[in-house]
Amino acid sequence: MSETIELTFENVPETLFEKPIQTITLHAKPEKIFTSEDGDAIYIAGESISETIRRIKPPTALFFIFERVRIGTIEIKKPLIRILLLEKENELNLIFNDNDIAGDSEKSTIQQLAIATKQLAFENNIEIYYCGLEPANDTNTQFFSNSKTGIGGPS
């Protein structure tokens, strides 16, 4: 049976969304961008993610769909990337199926993802992150976070 996994970065300043997204998407353009309010596509050709974020006023959610993303050695196919723009705190989420994640070493994919996520967070000054079965904020089903290792997860 397939499980939905969520990777969350909390308290991301608006100005810092562009770099981690470009890193994990390998600078690819999204297949689709839409908002939570109307579900309409809002992408303007040639516009950066930062420009889209500045154009949309909080509170809102932006959803990006990419063919694939890479976090360190982990490749994730067809993830949904969600940006929650709130009044004071913003969140970046990757939501994907456990069948759509693959690593390239003897370590489990979740171990590789934990290592790569820690590095990505460090490089982008993001202090709070966690990953687990959706919803990932449920500490009983978290695989890892910035402060602990959780239940493990699929290999």
Side-chain angles (χ1 to χ4, degrees):
M1 186 168 129
S2 179
E3 300 282 354
T4 302
I5 297 174
E6 178 181 351
L7 171 61
T8 297
F9 297 92
E10 285 191 359
N11 302 329
V12 181
E14 264 183 47
T15 56
L16 292 182
F17 278 118
E18 187 84 21
K19 186 178 175 195
I21 290 174
Q22 284 184 344
T23 300
I24 64 175
T25 62
L26 309 172
H27 297 272
K29 296 291 184 200
E31 292 182 2
K32 185 175 181 182
I33 301 176
F34 52 97
T35 65
S36 59
E37 283 75 33
D38 51 24
D40 290 337
I42 59 163
Y43 181 66
I44 296 175
E47 184 175 66
S48 71
I49 291 169
S50 294
E51 290 168 331
T52 301
I53 289 170
R54 281 193 299 272
R55 199 167 35 84
I56 306 298
K57 301 292 181 218
T60 194
L62 298 174
F63 299 89
F64 302 79
I65 299 174
F66 288 86
E67 179 66 31
R68 67 181 176 94
V69 299
R70 182 172 287 276
I71 301 176
T73 60
I74 297 293
E75 183 171 291
I76 304 169
K77 297 177 190 167
K78 293 285 186 182
L80 174 70
I81 297 178
R82 176 178 61 200
I83 295 177
L84 299 176
L85 296 173
L86 307 171
E87 295 297 329
K88 294 185 180 185
E89 297 177 0
N90 300 308
E91 209 173 88
L92 172 62
N93 311 101
L94 278 79
I95 302 166
F96 52 93
N97 187 297
D98 67 352
N99 295 330
D100 293 333
I101 181 172
D104 67 356
S105 81
E106 292 182 16
K107 292 182 183 176
S108 80
T109 53
I110 293 299
Q111 288 174 318
Q112 291 176 69
L113 183 60
I115 292 166
T117 298
K118 181 178 182 177
Q119 183 64 31
L120 183 66
F122 174 77
E123 290 171 356
N124 291 282
N125 299 314
I126 299 170
E127 295 180 13
I128 301 171
Y129 62 86
Y130 46 88
C131 179
L133 299 178
E134 189 179 35
N137 63 350
D138 180 349
T139 57
N140 293 319
T141 59
Q142 278 183 359
F143 304 143
F144 62 85
S145 73
N146 53 286
S147 61
K148 68 179 178 74
T149 300
I151 62 171
S155 57

Short mmCIF file of all heavy atoms in Angstrom, two decimals, residues 58-90:
data_model
loop_
_atom_site.label_atom_id
_atom_site.label_comp_id
_atom_site.label_asym_id
_atom_site.label_seq_id
_atom_site.Cartn_x
_atom_site.Cartn_y
_atom_site.Cartn_z
N PRO A 58 -0.69 37.44 0.89
CA PRO A 58 -1.08 36.47 1.91
C PRO A 58 -2.40 36.87 2.55
O PRO A 58 -2.79 38.03 2.47
CB PRO A 58 0.05 36.53 2.92
CG PRO A 58 0.83 37.75 2.63
CD PRO A 58 0.47 38.21 1.26
N PRO A 59 -3.09 35.96 3.19
CA PRO A 59 -2.77 34.54 3.28
C PRO A 59 -3.25 33.79 2.03
O PRO A 59 -4.33 34.03 1.53
CB PRO A 59 -3.56 34.08 4.51
CG PRO A 59 -4.76 34.98 4.53
CD PRO A 59 -4.29 36.30 3.97
N THR A 60 -2.41 32.91 1.56
CA THR A 60 -2.76 32.08 0.41
C THR A 60 -1.84 30.87 0.38
O THR A 60 -0.87 30.80 1.11
CB THR A 60 -2.66 32.87 -0.91
OG1 THR A 60 -3.29 32.14 -1.94
CG2 THR A 60 -1.21 33.14 -1.29
N ALA A 61 -2.17 29.95 -0.48
CA ALA A 61 -1.31 28.80 -0.73
C ALA A 61 -1.04 28.74 -2.23
O ALA A 61 -1.95 28.92 -3.04
CB ALA A 61 -1.97 27.52 -0.26
N LEU A 62 0.21 28.52 -2.58
CA LEU A 62 0.60 28.32 -3.97
C LEU A 62 1.01 26.87 -4.13
O LEU A 62 1.70 26.32 -3.26
CB LEU A 62 1.77 29.22 -4.34
CG LEU A 62 1.55 30.72 -4.27
CD1 LEU A 62 2.86 31.44 -4.53
CD2 LEU A 62 0.51 31.14 -5.28
N PHE A 63 0.62 26.26 -5.22
CA PHE A 63 0.94 24.87 -5.48
C PHE A 63 1.71 24.78 -6.79
O PHE A 63 1.29 25.34 -7.80
CB PHE A 63 -0.33 24.03 -5.58
CG PHE A 63 -1.15 24.03 -4.32
CD1 PHE A 63 -2.11 25.01 -4.11
CD2 PHE A 63 -0.94 23.07 -3.36
CE1 PHE A 63 -2.86 25.03 -2.95
CE2 PHE A 63 -1.69 23.08 -2.19
CZ PHE A 63 -2.65 24.05 -1.98
N PHE A 64 2.83 24.07 -6.76
CA PHE A 64 3.67 23.88 -7.94
C PHE A 64 3.79 22.38 -8.19
O PHE A 64 4.03 21.62 -7.25
CB PHE A 64 5.08 24.42 -7.71
CG PHE A 64 5.15 25.87 -7.33
CD1 PHE A 64 4.87 26.30 -6.05
CD2 PHE A 64 5.50 26.82 -8.28
CE1 PHE A 64 4.94 27.63 -5.71
CE2 PHE A 64 5.57 28.16 -7.95
CZ PHE A 64 5.29 28.57 -6.66
N ILE A 65 3.67 21.97 -9.42
CA ILE A 65 3.89 20.58 -9.77
C ILE A 65 5.07 20.51 -10.72
O ILE A 65 5.09 21.21 -11.74
CB ILE A 65 2.63 19.95 -10.40
CG1 ILE A 65 1.47 20.00 -9.39
CG2 ILE A 65 2.91 18.51 -10.83
CD1 ILE A 65 0.14 19.55 -9.95
N PHE A 66 6.04 19.68 -10.38
CA PHE A 66 7.24 19.49 -11.19
C PHE A 66 7.32 18.04 -11.64
O PHE A 66 6.79 17.15 -10.98
CB PHE A 66 8.50 19.83 -10.39
CG PHE A 66 8.69 21.30 -10.14
CD1 PHE A 66 8.10 21.91 -9.06
CD2 PHE A 66 9.46 22.06 -11.00
CE1 PHE A 66 8.26 23.27 -8.83
CE2 PHE A 66 9.64 23.41 -10.78
CZ PHE A 66 9.03 24.02 -9.70
N GLU A 67 8.01 17.81 -12.75
CA GLU A 67 8.23 16.44 -13.23
C GLU A 67 9.02 15.63 -12.21
O GLU A 67 8.71 14.50 -11.91
CB GLU A 67 8.97 16.47 -14.58
CG GLU A 67 9.26 15.10 -15.15
CD GLU A 67 8.02 14.32 -15.54
OE1 GLU A 67 7.01 14.92 -15.92
OE2 GLU A 67 8.08 13.08 -15.44
N ARG A 68 10.07 16.25 -11.68
CA ARG A 68 10.89 15.60 -10.65
C ARG A 68 11.69 16.66 -9.91
O ARG A 68 11.90 17.76 -10.43
CB ARG A 68 11.84 14.57 -11.26
CG ARG A 68 12.92 15.16 -12.13
CD ARG A 68 13.83 14.10 -12.74
NE ARG A 68 14.78 14.72 -13.62
CZ ARG A 68 16.01 15.09 -13.27
NH1 ARG A 68 16.44 14.87 -12.05
NH2 ARG A 68 16.82 15.66 -14.13
N VAL A 69 12.10 16.30 -8.70
CA VAL A 69 12.98 17.17 -7.93
C VAL A 69 14.08 16.30 -7.34
O VAL A 69 13.98 15.07 -7.30
CB VAL A 69 12.24 17.93 -6.79
CG1 VAL A 69 11.16 18.83 -7.36
CG2 VAL A 69 11.69 16.98 -5.75
N ARG A 70 15.14 16.96 -6.88
CA ARG A 70 16.26 16.24 -6.27
C ARG A 70 16.66 16.97 -5.00
O ARG A 70 16.87 18.18 -5.00
CB ARG A 70 17.43 16.15 -7.23
CG ARG A 70 18.62 15.38 -6.67
CD ARG A 70 19.70 15.14 -7.71
NE ARG A 70 19.30 14.14 -8.68
CZ ARG A 70 19.43 12.82 -8.50
NH1 ARG A 70 19.92 12.36 -7.39
NH2 ARG A 70 19.06 11.98 -9.44
N ILE A 71 16.76 16.19 -3.92
CA ILE A 71 17.28 16.70 -2.66
C ILE A 71 18.48 15.84 -2.34
O ILE A 71 18.34 14.66 -2.00
CB ILE A 71 16.22 16.63 -1.54
CG1 ILE A 71 14.98 17.45 -1.92
CG2 ILE A 71 16.81 17.13 -0.21
CD1 ILE A 71 13.85 17.36 -0.93
N GLY A 72 19.67 16.40 -2.51
CA GLY A 72 20.88 15.60 -2.35
C GLY A 72 20.89 14.47 -3.36
O GLY A 72 20.76 14.71 -4.57
N THR A 73 21.01 13.25 -2.88
CA THR A 73 21.03 12.08 -3.77
C THR A 73 19.64 11.48 -3.99
O THR A 73 19.51 10.47 -4.68
CB THR A 73 21.95 10.98 -3.20
OG1 THR A 73 21.47 10.59 -1.91
CG2 THR A 73 23.38 11.48 -3.10
N ILE A 74 18.63 12.09 -3.43
CA ILE A 74 17.27 11.56 -3.51
C ILE A 74 16.52 12.22 -4.67
O ILE A 74 16.49 13.44 -4.78
CB ILE A 74 16.49 11.83 -2.21
CG1 ILE A 74 17.15 11.11 -1.04
CG2 ILE A 74 15.04 11.46 -2.32
CD1 ILE A 74 17.07 9.61 -1.12
N GLU A 75 15.91 11.39 -5.50
CA GLU A 75 15.06 11.90 -6.58
C GLU A 75 13.62 11.58 -6.24
O GLU A 75 13.30 10.47 -5.83
CB GLU A 75 15.43 11.27 -7.92
CG GLU A 75 14.60 11.85 -9.06
CD GLU A 75 15.08 11.41 -10.42
OE1 GLU A 75 16.16 11.84 -10.83
OE2 GLU A 75 14.35 10.64 -11.06
N ILE A 76 12.77 12.59 -6.41
CA ILE A 76 11.34 12.44 -6.14
C ILE A 76 10.58 12.78 -7.41
O ILE A 76 10.75 13.86 -7.97
CB ILE A 76 10.88 13.36 -4.99
CG1 ILE A 76 11.72 13.09 -3.73
CG2 ILE A 76 9.40 13.18 -4.72
CD1 ILE A 76 11.53 14.11 -2.64
N LYS A 77 9.72 11.86 -7.85
CA LYS A 77 8.95 12.07 -9.08
C LYS A 77 7.60 12.71 -8.74
O LYS A 77 6.94 12.33 -7.78
CB LYS A 77 8.70 10.73 -9.78
CG LYS A 77 9.95 10.06 -10.26
CD LYS A 77 9.62 8.72 -10.87
CE LYS A 77 10.88 7.92 -11.13
NZ LYS A 77 10.58 6.53 -11.43
N LYS A 78 7.22 13.66 -9.56
CA LYS A 78 5.90 14.31 -9.51
C LYS A 78 5.48 14.81 -8.12
O LYS A 78 4.35 14.59 -7.70
CB LYS A 78 4.82 13.37 -10.05
CG LYS A 78 4.92 13.05 -11.51
CD LYS A 78 4.48 14.21 -12.34
CE LYS A 78 4.44 13.82 -13.80
NZ LYS A 78 4.06 14.91 -14.63
N PRO A 79 6.37 15.52 -7.41
CA PRO A 79 5.94 16.04 -6.10
C PRO A 79 5.05 17.26 -6.27
O PRO A 79 5.13 17.97 -7.27
CB PRO A 79 7.25 16.44 -5.45
CG PRO A 79 8.06 16.90 -6.61
CD PRO A 79 7.71 15.95 -7.73
N LEU A 80 4.22 17.45 -5.29
CA LEU A 80 3.47 18.70 -5.17
C LEU A 80 4.27 19.56 -4.21
O LEU A 80 4.60 19.13 -3.11
CB LEU A 80 2.08 18.44 -4.60
CG LEU A 80 1.25 19.69 -4.30
CD1 LEU A 80 0.84 20.37 -5.61
CD2 LEU A 80 0.03 19.34 -3.47
N ILE A 81 4.66 20.74 -4.66
CA ILE A 81 5.33 21.70 -3.79
C ILE A 81 4.32 22.76 -3.40
O ILE A 81 3.71 23.38 -4.26
CB ILE A 81 6.56 22.33 -4.48
CG1 ILE A 81 7.59 21.24 -4.78
CG2 ILE A 81 7.15 23.42 -3.60
CD1 ILE A 81 8.81 21.73 -5.51
N ARG A 82 4.13 22.90 -2.10
CA ARG A 82 3.13 23.85 -1.59
C ARG A 82 3.85 24.92 -0.79
O ARG A 82 4.68 24.63 0.06
CB ARG A 82 2.13 23.12 -0.71
CG ARG A 82 1.11 24.03 -0.05
CD ARG A 82 0.12 23.26 0.77
NE ARG A 82 0.78 22.53 1.85
CZ ARG A 82 0.24 21.49 2.48
NH1 ARG A 82 -0.94 21.03 2.12
NH2 ARG A 82 0.90 20.89 3.45
N ILE A 83 3.54 26.16 -1.11
CA ILE A 83 4.04 27.30 -0.34
C ILE A 83 2.84 27.93 0.35
O ILE A 83 1.89 28.35 -0.31
CB ILE A 83 4.74 28.33 -1.24
CG1 ILE A 83 6.01 27.72 -1.85
CG2 ILE A 83 5.06 29.59 -0.45
CD1 ILE A 83 6.73 28.64 -2.81
N LEU A 84 2.90 27.95 1.68
CA LEU A 84 1.86 28.62 2.45
C LEU A 84 2.36 30.00 2.82
O LEU A 84 3.36 30.13 3.54
CB LEU A 84 1.52 27.83 3.71
CG LEU A 84 0.99 26.43 3.51
CD1 LEU A 84 0.79 25.73 4.84
CD2 LEU A 84 -0.31 26.45 2.72
N LEU A 85 1.71 31.02 2.28
CA LEU A 85 2.06 32.40 2.60
C LEU A 85 1.08 32.89 3.64
O LEU A 85 -0.11 33.06 3.36
CB LEU A 85 1.98 33.27 1.34
CG LEU A 85 2.95 32.93 0.22
CD1 LEU A 85 2.63 33.75 -1.02
CD2 LEU A 85 4.37 33.16 0.66
N LEU A 86 1.57 33.10 4.83
CA LEU A 86 0.73 33.54 5.93
C LEU A 86 1.14 34.95 6.31
O LEU A 86 2.08 35.51 5.77
CB LEU A 86 0.86 32.56 7.09
CG LEU A 86 0.59 31.10 6.69
CD1 LEU A 86 0.94 30.16 7.82
CD2 LEU A 86 -0.84 30.91 6.23
N GLU A 87 0.45 35.53 7.25
CA GLU A 87 0.76 36.91 7.64
C GLU A 87 2.15 37.03 8.25
O GLU A 87 2.89 37.95 7.95
CB GLU A 87 -0.29 37.44 8.61
CG GLU A 87 -1.68 37.56 8.01
CD GLU A 87 -1.76 38.55 6.85
OE1 GLU A 87 -1.02 39.53 6.84
OE2 GLU A 87 -2.59 38.32 5.95
N LYS A 88 2.55 36.09 9.13
CA LYS A 88 3.83 36.20 9.82
C LYS A 88 4.76 35.03 9.56
O LYS A 88 5.96 35.18 9.62
CB LYS A 88 3.60 36.34 11.32
CG LYS A 88 2.90 37.63 11.68
CD LYS A 88 2.79 37.81 13.16
CE LYS A 88 2.08 39.13 13.44
NZ LYS A 88 2.02 39.46 14.83
N GLU A 89 4.22 33.85 9.32
CA GLU A 89 5.04 32.67 9.11
C GLU A 89 4.70 32.04 7.77
O GLU A 89 3.54 32.00 7.37
CB GLU A 89 4.81 31.65 10.22
CG GLU A 89 5.20 32.16 11.59
CD GLU A 89 4.91 31.16 12.69
OE1 GLU A 89 4.39 30.07 12.40
OE2 GLU A 89 5.19 31.48 13.85
N ASN A 90 5.72 31.56 7.09
CA ASN A 90 5.53 30.91 5.80
C ASN A 90 6.06 29.49 5.89
O ASN A 90 6.92 29.18 6.70
CB ASN A 90 6.27 31.66 4.70
CG ASN A 90 5.79 33.08 4.58
OD1 ASN A 90 4.61 33.34 4.46
ND2 ASN A 90 6.72 34.02 4.62
#
